[in-house]
Amino acid sequence: MTKENSNEPLIDSNKLIFGIGQVQQITGVSGRQLRYWEEQNYIAPIEQQKGTQRQYSFHTLFLIFHIQRYLTQGFTLQAAVEKAKEFEKQMPVLRTFIKAQLQGVDVSNERSVIDFGFKNDERKQRVYGIVEGNKTYFKVEDLKESK
DNA sequence: TTTCTGACA
DNA sequence: TGTCAGAA
């Protein structure tokens, strides 16, 4: 049988493991901070024994990256963690929606068009996301009756 | 060489 | 949070 879901991720993110040194290079967060954040239970390395070197999952790396971003924006560590975790909760929802709705993207320098498919099951309107430089907006197109 | 824990101008 | 020490 052929796989139903033919568009699975190319790589298994669960197999992407990073040492604390790599995390420092990638995120710019110091080892001292990483250990402190861990101590505060904001982040957690992959389960391991006492004294051994820490290993971080891709998911945790992503979380660390976002916490750092919010810190840079001026949020306190606690607030940054909350915002980062909140964002992580939203991601699956966004992913599900985009995966289901995205029909195609027509890229162009002046005006790119994102096809979000039909507005609803009535299939009488098509929704498009328009990108013109830095400006973005939606456009709903009424479809001709296919009598 | 890198990382770990604990301590502190 | 940075940094230093002493140990893996």
Side-chain angles (χ1 to χ4, degrees), chain A residues 2 9 12 14 20 26 29 34 38 43 64 72-73 81 83 86 92 102 106 108 119 146:
Chain A
T2 33
D12 185 355
N14 291 96
I20 194 170
I26 297 171
V29 178
L34 292 171
E38 177 184 332
I43 61 174
I64 293 169
T72 302
Q73 290 173 24
V81 170
K83 292 185 75 73
E86 183 58 36
L102 187 60
D106 181 39
S108 175
K119 179 179 178 182
S146 57

Side-chain angles (χ1 to χ4, degrees), chain A residues 74-91:
Chain A
F75 290 96
T76 62
L77 177 57
Q78 183 177 3
V81 170
E82 288 179 20
K83 292 185 75 73
K85 293 195 172 182
E86 183 58 36
F87 181 69
E88 299 236 304
K89 283 173 56 183
Q90 299 171 349
M91 296 219 349

